Amino acid sequence: MNAADIMTTPVVTIGPDAQIREIAALLLEKRISGVPVVDGGRVIGFVNEADLLRRHEIGTDAATPERSWWAQLIRPERLSFDYVKTHAGRARDIMTRDVVAVAEDTPLQRIATILAARHVRRVPVLRSHQLVGIVTRADLVRAIARKPRNSEAPAQTDEDIRQRLLAELEKQPWWHPDWSAVDVLGGIVTYRGLLESEGERQAARVAAENVPGVRGVEDNRTPWAAWQSFT
């Protein structure tokens, strides 16, 4: 699945001169936690709830994190920057400017990585630099809810199940093919051999359960440490 499959469109936007009170009212009305700032069709920033937490209107501007005297000497411009964020009246002055965008064909895996790595809740979707949609964390959650589990066609034979499972296992760094064997009989997957940890046992079970046609999993492998004590 790609961004185009789950993105929200059309997108609620504001201009760079939008007033703070208008922005707050819009977030409440639309029940959203952030809104892109668009100028000439291009996304130039985002205003999020976090940008409105410390504001002089409600007396929270003094909640600016305390900084040591030496930090103030090294970066005195930070104090003036904080003042702008807490007192400015327009979107252009308080918006987050560091915006990472994706294309319509960006895979969901890449989007999830961006959201997690950058600690953001949404990314704009662009087509030729123009905003066409937005993908939020909630959109990813909805995608999980919509996609049926084991949506692939069930394997026809036990050997089909085994081959599908091996194809998945061989992509995983925790799988040790020299230590383990996989058998399938009547839809029941059986693991034999050795393993390093109980985490590997759980991961192997999940991998098997995700293969359509699997009716159960039996893991008869012996932990490596226990096997060594017998030798």
Side-chain angles (χ1 to χ4, degrees), residues 58 63 70 87-88:
I58 55 176
W70 58 265
H87 287 72

Side-chain angles (χ1 to χ4, degrees), residues 1-7 102-108 111 124-128 130 132-133 135:
M1 299 178 71
N2 299 327
D5 298 317
I6 68 168
M7 68 182 186
V102 299
E104 293 171 282
D105 60 352
T106 302
L108 298 195
I111 295 174
V125 183
L126 306 184
R127 181 193 303 152
S128 299
Q130 298 296 303
V132 294
V135 174

Side-chain angles (χ1 to χ4, degrees), residues 115-133:
L115 295 179
R118 300 183 68 89
H119 305 288
V120 295
R121 294 180 177 273
R122 62 194 60 79
V123 290
V125 183
L126 306 184
R127 181 193 303 152
S128 299
H129 304 291
Q130 298 296 303
L131 180 66
V132 294

